Each structure stands twice: as structure tokens, then as C-alpha cells.
Amino acid sequence: AEAEQSVRFMMRMRSAGVVPNAVSYSTLMSSIARSGDWHTVLQLFSDMATDSVQRDSVCFSVAMGACEKASQWRLALDLFSAMKSEDVRRDVVIFGNGMCAMNKAGN
């Protein structure tokens, strides 16, 4: 229910002519990640690039966490690697997400 409300709010925001930014995307992704819907989280993460929204470490962290919790460790590690190519600073949370993903992978 929370995730659906968040999606509707984002749609209302767009209808009002307000352009979503990294904060609005990370908030929406976080809400959806709590419901376990990692596919939608990754779709929103992808939409950020389409909308020319700069993805920050919070957005990467939410996406990686959603993947890790869904045992999609390869995707989580791919996101970790993508941070370097997008010149996004990796912090302690990001490295923690990467370690959790590696642990699930058995590496």
C-alpha cells in the first residue's frame, strides 16, 4: 500500500509539472524496496537516467540493497561497479551493501 501511494504521488508530481530529482526517486525506490519489489526499484533506477536525473550514492545504495535482499547479488555487484563509471563516490553504506552481496554469493 505504501509503495502504491508513493507511485501515485510521483505521478501527481509529474502531472503538476514538478520534475523528479534524486531525492524524490530515492524516496520512492526506498518505499518500493520495503515491499520487496526489486524489479520496480531497478526500473525506477533506470528511469532516472532516461529523465536525466543524476544518480547519487543514496540511489545506488537503495537499488543495491533491494537487489541484495532479493538474492540478486550479481545485480548488486554490477551496480557497485557502475558507480565508478558514473563517478559516484562510494561510502561505507555502499561498501557494506557490496559485502552483503558478496557474502550471499559465497565469495
Side-chain angles (χ1 to χ4, degrees):
E2 179 185 345
E4 291 171 15
Q5 288 177 341
S6 298
V7 170
R8 282 195 299 272
F9 192 78
M10 178 78 96
M11 288 170 41
R12 275 189 266 151
M13 192 168 107
R14 286 179 185 269
S15 295
V18 178
V19 179
N21 61 15
V23 173
S24 52
Y25 267 105
S26 63
T27 302
L28 177 59
M29 290 181 350
S30 185
S31 172
I32 292 171
R34 283 191 292 275
S35 74
D37 186 358
W38 63 274
H39 288 102
T40 301
V41 171
L42 291 183
Q43 181 58 56
L44 288 165
F45 187 79
S46 177
D47 290 349
M48 291 179 74
T50 304
D51 288 345
S52 300
V53 175
Q54 180 69 40
R55 299 186 285 205
D56 61 15
S57 62
V58 174
C59 296
F60 272 94
S61 178
V62 171
M64 287 176 65
C67 290
E68 182 265 320
K69 286 178 183 140
S71 297
Q72 299 296 319
W73 57 269
R74 281 191 177 111
L75 292 173
L77 293 175
D78 288 346
L79 289 166
F80 182 82
S81 296
M83 290 182 76
K84 186 171 185 175
S85 64
E86 292 191 30
D87 200 31
V88 177
R89 187 171 179 268
R90 298 174 186 169
D91 59 19
V92 68
V93 174
I94 295 295
F95 276 99
N97 285 342
M99 286 188 283
C100 285
M102 288 176 31
N103 285 336
K104 285 198 174 185
N107 294 325

